[in-house]
Amino acid sequence: MNFFLPVKIITYLIICLSFISNSYAEVKPSLLRTVSLTNIVKSPSDVRFNPEGTRIFFSDFRSGADVLIQFDVDTPFNISTIDFNSKVELATNGGGIDNITDPQGFEFNSDGTKVFAINDGGGFNAHLLSTPYDFSNATMVADDGFHFKTDPDPDINNNRAVKFNNDGTKMFLIDAHTVTGGKRIIEFNLSTPYDTSTVTEGNSFAISGTVAAAVLQDFSFDDDGTRMYVIESRINPIATFIYVYKLSTGFDITSATFAGKVQQVFESLGSDGTNGTPLGMGFSEDGMKLYQVTYQDKAIGTRDRVHEYDLICPYGIVICETDPVTAIGAQVEIAKNVIYQNSSTIFKRFDWLRRNDERTNLTNHEIKLNIHNPILAALKTNLENSLNDIEYTQASLKKENSKINKKNWSYWSHGDISFGRVGDTGSSKPKEVKTRGIMFGADKLVDKKIFGYAFRYGNDEVDIDDGSSDELDAQTFSLNIYSSVPLKNRSNLNLLFGASYLMIDQLGKDQVTGKRNGKQIYTSMSYENENEYTKYELIPFGKLEMGITQFSDYTDFGVVSNSVESHESLTFKTGNISAGLKFDNILYLNDDTISRNGFIEYIYDLTPNIDHYLKNHIDNTTIKKTINTHSLHNVKGNIGFEYMYSDGRTIAINYERFQSLDKSGHKDSLLIKFGGVKKHNANLDLIYDPINDNNTKVSYLKQMGNFNLKLNSNYSLFSKIPDYGANIEFSGTF
């Protein structure tokens, strides 16, 4: 018998069990600081911040004050910097059926212009705020139409909290009654957002497996409603449990499954026999902090406190998961950006060709492509050789037509860099976006008609601003075919067809946590009219852009929590339609020219909602996430100038801004062009290499008969330790 065989089997089982046990981590909040509210907020029962974290709110329970209270916060989301001298109170005892004595829970609407208060005795009311998240000028709604004790469900008892989904079409209450076995979350539907007079009762979800002597005190959701948190507390010994549920569909409590619980001990019994009872909870805007309040169960109030906890990941209680809406939304943004960068660069090429169509040489070396990747380098070499062969053949066949020969195939290169902040929505965290790209192309201009093709390499970096150190790094390769045809009345029709290949790395704490590939096809077309409407030559234009992208499936391994998510393959459509005005005013200075150019464009995003499916290995359930992070209404503006010398040297600078109108987001681009045409046997190039440490070189070549004089200098543009260098090359042929 082989003795080592059982050992191997046991070892294998241990490894497997270790992997399974570490598929996710049970995560507990870490107490950062505690601030006393003694004699300031007596018996605090709930806590909230405004989105900026510069103002904190409490409800005052069992003190006889019957108020909600606000304070300013000097450092956002830092409770140690609460300015207690900035106290503003909002009275909730308005009288009648909507009277609120001893308010327990409260909640704002999405923009902070309305606040709802509730207590466990049957009171519920709403106040309008003339200034968002400011109690200074509040007006009570005369009759909100909702009285949970009698209408619509008289069986609701001992209510402690109220919550809404992100668009205000659902309201949730907690029934904490322990005699009838209530302990449930109740859902109500609102036909008009945040208008409780339009409420109808919906589903309910029982909170089972709790401590018999404990009471449900508060509950909350994460930002997209796919996790629900319920606080249960008891007095002796004083402790609280936070129960965590996963919702396969956001804010659908019928889809909730138990994920786990954590126990936190807040206060030990004091010498006077008093203790602190945990009641309300709230999160920071990015989900990286948890806040809870405890209140004194006797009159002294020495244990009225607010506690601030650090979380190791957004909403990280019991489990840590990646934020799929934000992560997948960032991947969609990369796909859209690839299409935008390709079409934007090529359409600028159309403008440059028409602006300089009288020149004898249309070769425009803006930024010369220098590639060390062998595949890309071979592609570039083959492209250049094919163009040279075409030029030589056509020149041999058409020597008699020098004009056509001069305006035959020309090749060009272009570099760009852009940066911005996008995707700051209710369901997606903001993302810092940086894009660098270089394009190499060839085209032909004859009789105002343009035909060409171009290759682009791009690098997109996306930092997700959720406190998790997650980021995306994407390399993209695109091939484009483009054409422009003049129409009647000085109009042009511009067309572009392209295909791209994307390689996306997802990183957490500088470790690769997932890899995803993608491919896409896209088209863009625009119509413009070059009639002179003003002295600035305003040119109206319209544009349509469509694309289809297919992402591969991939597995996301969480670095912090060891969670594992399997993402299914994803195919989605993107597109936009736009209209705007361009201007291109040319000044002639002897043989030199100056172009003052730019545009203003309104863009309507046609991208539909994108359904993405993932399987979390915590509970082996497949979850659908809806990606809707784009802004419908956007504006883009561009302004710059181009100076072209008589010998073909070109200097151009353009600044471009893309601004979302209905969601927070923008992107800034700076395009700097240095170039020249081959004239007088000399060539000046700026060479940018994004693959080889972002090396940047300036090269000057002078041909003197059989001899070549070349001057080179280099500088590592993005290196922390700059690399300076220069050399002189002298060569000749005999």
Side-chain angles (χ1 to χ4, degrees):
M1 180 177 178
N2 189 346
F3 175 78
F4 294 99
L5 183 59
V7 176
K8 290 181 180 179
I9 295 175
I10 294 173
T11 304
Y12 176 77
L13 291 175
I14 292 174
I15 293 173
C16 293
L17 291 172
S18 298
F19 176 79
I20 295 173
S21 64
N22 290 322
S23 63
Y24 69 98
E26 183 176 280
V27 184
K28 294 184 178 181
S30 175
L31 182 63
L32 181 62
R33 55 178 66 93
T34 295
V35 174
S36 175
L37 301 175
T38 302
N39 297 321
I40 302 173
V41 181
K42 301 176 181 179
S43 302
S45 57
D46 209 353
V47 57
R48 293 288 182 275
F49 280 88
N50 66 338
E52 295 76 24
T54 57
R55 187 163 287 166
I56 193 171
F57 307 87
F58 300 95
S59 53
D60 200 334
F61 177 62
R62 290 183 180 174
S63 68
D66 304 330
V67 293
L68 305 178
I69 307 173
Q70 75 177 40
F71 302 97
D72 291 336
V73 182
D74 295 333
T75 302
F77 297 108
N78 186 334
I79 61 173
S80 67
T81 65
I82 297 175
D83 181 7
F84 292 112
N85 294 321
S86 63
K87 182 177 181 179
V88 178
E89 296 183 349
L90 171 63
T92 60
N93 54 349
I97 195 171
D98 287 314
N99 186 55
I100 296 286
T101 59
D102 301 329
Q104 190 146 353
F106 68 98
E107 189 62 279
F108 294 93
N109 66 346
S110 57
D111 62 3
T113 58
K114 199 172 188 179
V115 62
F116 304 84
I118 197 168
N119 69 3
D120 60 1
F124 182 96
N125 63 27
H127 287 77
L128 298 177
L129 309 179
S130 58
T131 302
Y133 301 99
D134 189 350
F135 292 160
S136 299
N137 291 296
T139 305
M140 183 174 173
V141 178
D143 186 3
D144 53 57
F146 181 78
H147 317 291
F148 72 84
K149 190 81 179 269
T150 60
D151 178 28
D153 188 348
D155 294 327
I156 301 175
N157 295 283
N158 206 5
N159 194 286
R160 305 274 174 113
V162 56
K163 298 292 184 293
F164 294 88
N165 65 345
N166 291 334
D167 62 8
T169 57
K170 287 186 178 183
M171 181 177 71
F172 304 88
L173 304 180
I174 190 170
D175 188 355
H177 200 280
T178 58
V179 177
T180 63
K183 290 194 178 184
R184 56 180 177 154
I185 307 296
I186 308 166
E187 173 189 308
F188 299 89
N189 299 309
L190 285 70
S191 57
T192 301
Y194 300 105
D195 184 353
T196 52
S197 66
T198 66
V199 70
T200 57
E201 187 173 352
N203 301 307
S204 64
F205 178 79
I207 306 298
S208 59
T210 61
V211 180
V215 178
L216 302 185
Q217 300 288 2
D218 196 8
F219 74 108
S220 187
F221 295 95
D222 67 351
D223 56 350
D224 63 356
T226 57
R227 274 179 278 178
M228 181 172 67
Y229 309 84
V230 181
I231 292 182
E232 175 191 61
S233 66
R234 60 185 180 184
I235 295 178
N236 290 311
I238 182 64
T240 183
F241 289 93
I242 302 179
Y243 297 88
V244 180
Y245 297 85
K246 288 175 57 66
L247 282 66
S248 58
T249 302
F251 297 103
D252 181 2
I253 58 176
T254 64
S255 69
T257 56
F258 181 70
K261 66 179 182 180
V262 295
Q263 182 179 7
Q264 296 171 279
V265 179
F266 281 88
E267 311 281 351
S268 59
L269 287 173
S271 58
D272 56 359
T274 62
N275 51 46
T277 302
L279 291 184
M281 67 183 300
F283 292 96
S284 60
E285 185 71 6
D286 60 3
M288 292 301 295
K289 287 187 176 182
L290 167 70
Y291 303 87
Q292 291 184 309
V293 288
T294 57
Y295 89 105
Q296 185 81 37
D297 69 334
K298 294 186 179 181
I300 300 176
T302 57
R303 299 184 185 274
D304 296 331
R305 301 177 181 178
V306 56
H307 310 267
E308 179 180 330
Y309 293 82
D310 274 338
L311 305 177
I312 65 173
C313 63
Y315 305 94
I317 304 175
V318 175
I319 56 175
C320 269
E321 301 175 276
T322 58
D323 178 7
V325 172
T326 300
I328 305 302
Q331 296 172 15
V332 172
E333 288 290 341
I334 289 174
K336 295 172 64 176
N337 189 60
V338 172
I339 300 174
Y340 163 74
Q341 293 292 349
N342 278 277
S343 65
S344 178
T345 301
I346 289 175
F347 282 16
K348 288 183 175 68
R349 175 65 177 176
F350 289 146
D351 295 337
W352 189 90
L353 285 171
R354 290 200 171 87
R355 186 184 307 132
N356 301 280
D357 61 351
E358 298 301 322
R359 299 198 173 265
T360 60
N361 193 323
L362 292 177
T363 300
N364 182 29
H365 292 283
E366 297 171 355
I367 298 179
K368 187 177 180 179
L369 182 62
N370 186 25
I371 300 178
H372 292 269
N373 182 290
I375 298 176
L376 299 181
L379 178 63
K380 169 182 176 288
T381 302
N382 292 335
L383 179 60
E384 290 178 335
N385 292 337
S386 64
L387 293 175
N388 291 333
D389 292 341
I390 292 173
E391 288 182 348
Y392 177 80
T393 301
Q394 293 186 347
S396 300
L397 295 175
K398 300 181 179 181
K399 289 182 179 180
E400 71 282 0
N401 194 334
S402 60
K403 184 177 181 180
I404 295 179
N405 184 45
K406 290 177 180 180
K407 296 185 177 182
N408 219 316
W409 288 92
S410 58
Y411 53 95
W412 55 274
S413 53
H414 179 95
D416 60 83
I417 182 170
S418 62
F419 47 90
R421 183 179 178 90
V422 298
D424 190 0
T425 69
S427 61
S428 176
K429 306 297 188 300
K431 298 172 283 291
E432 303 289 340
V433 181
K434 182 192 300 181
T435 301
R436 292 171 290 185
I438 191 161
M439 180 175 281
F440 182 86
D443 46 41
K444 180 178 181 180
L445 172 63
V446 178
D447 298 329
K448 304 290 185 180
K449 297 178 182 178
I450 300 171
F451 173 81
Y453 52 99
F455 174 84
R456 182 180 187 273
Y457 167 81
N459 177 246
D460 293 76
E461 297 177 2
V462 181
D463 292 330
I464 300 175
D465 189 13
D466 62 358
S468 63
S469 301
D470 289 340
E471 60 182 278
L472 298 177
D473 184 88
Q475 298 187 71
T476 61
F477 308 88
S478 305
L479 183 64
N480 303 274
I481 301 174
Y482 56 91
S483 178
S484 182
V485 180
L487 305 177
K488 296 181 180 179
N489 300 320
R490 297 193 64 188
S491 299
N492 299 305
L493 179 64
N494 304 319
L495 300 171
L496 165 67
F497 297 93
S500 299
Y501 183 74
L502 300 83
M503 298 186 302
I504 302 175
D505 290 342
Q506 182 169 298
L507 298 94
K509 296 186 178 297
D510 297 324
Q511 301 181 41
V512 177
T513 60
K515 290 180 174 289
R516 186 170 222 179
N517 298 327
K519 51 188 177 182
Q520 64 182 183
I521 57 174
Y522 51 88
T523 183
S524 183
M525 60 187 72
S526 70
Y527 171 84
E528 59 188 28
N529 191 310
E530 296 183 351
N531 286 296
E532 297 183 9
Y533 294 96
T534 70
K535 66 177 182 178
Y536 294 104
E537 301 182 9
L538 291 179
I539 303 171
F541 68 92
K543 187 177 178 182
L544 175 65
E545 197 166 82
M546 304 290 292
I548 300 176
T549 303
Q550 184 179 67
F551 282 143
S552 66
D553 58 357
Y554 82 108
T555 301
D556 179 15
F557 297 91
V559 175
V560 175
S561 61
N562 295 321
S563 63
V564 181
E565 290 178 345
S566 298
H567 297 259
E568 295 185 3
S569 59
L570 178 63
T571 300
F572 57 92
K573 300 176 182 178
T574 60
N576 57 71
I577 187 170
S578 63
L581 288 172
K582 295 194 298 185
F583 69 91
D584 196 345
N585 181 246
I586 300 178
L587 300 177
Y588 296 94
L589 303 175
N590 297 322
D591 293 331
D592 301 339
T593 59
I594 298 177
S595 169
R596 297 174 294 183
N597 55 82
F599 63 83
I600 184 73
E601 181 180 7
Y602 166 78
I603 303 171
Y604 182 82
D605 199 320
L606 301 172
T607 304
N609 292 343
I610 301 169
D611 291 333
H612 177 68
Y613 295 88
L614 64 103
K615 182 179 181 180
N616 192 284
H617 290 216
I618 295 172
D619 51 18
N620 266 347
T621 58
T622 299
I623 303 173
K624 182 179 75 172
K625 296 286 187 177
T626 299
I627 313 299
N628 182 15
T629 62
H630 62 278
S631 173
L632 289 177
H633 306 283
N634 311 273
V635 161
K636 183 167 64 174
N638 181 297
I639 190 169
F641 77 93
E642 177 185 271
Y643 193 100
M644 178 169 279
Y645 296 90
S646 58
D647 59 3
R649 291 177 293 127
T650 303
I651 300 174
I653 299 176
N654 279 81
Y655 168 77
E656 188 168 291
R657 173 92 174 192
F658 180 96
Q659 180 67 55
S660 302
L661 297 181
D662 55 353
K663 292 182 180 179
S664 176
H666 70 274
K667 184 180 296 183
D668 298 291
S669 301
L670 184 65
L671 299 100
I672 303 176
K673 308 176 189 178
F674 303 95
V677 300
K678 294 181 180 179
K679 204 168 185 180
H680 306 303
N681 297 320
N683 191 26
L684 177 67
D685 290 310
L686 174 65
I687 304 169
Y688 169 54
D689 185 359
I691 300 178
N692 188 31
D693 298 326
N694 296 298
N695 201 40
T696 306
K697 297 181 179 181
V698 176
S699 176
Y700 176 79
L701 175 64
K702 176 69 174 181
Q703 296 179 343
M704 299 174 291
N706 294 329
F707 297 94
N708 295 326
L709 177 63
K710 190 174 183 180
L711 305 178
N712 298 305
S713 68
N714 61 279
Y715 175 67
S716 298
L717 185 64
F718 298 97
S719 174
K720 295 182 180 180
I721 305 177
D723 177 25
Y724 301 94
N727 61 75
I728 300 175
E729 299 178 13
F730 187 77
S731 61
T733 57
F734 303 92

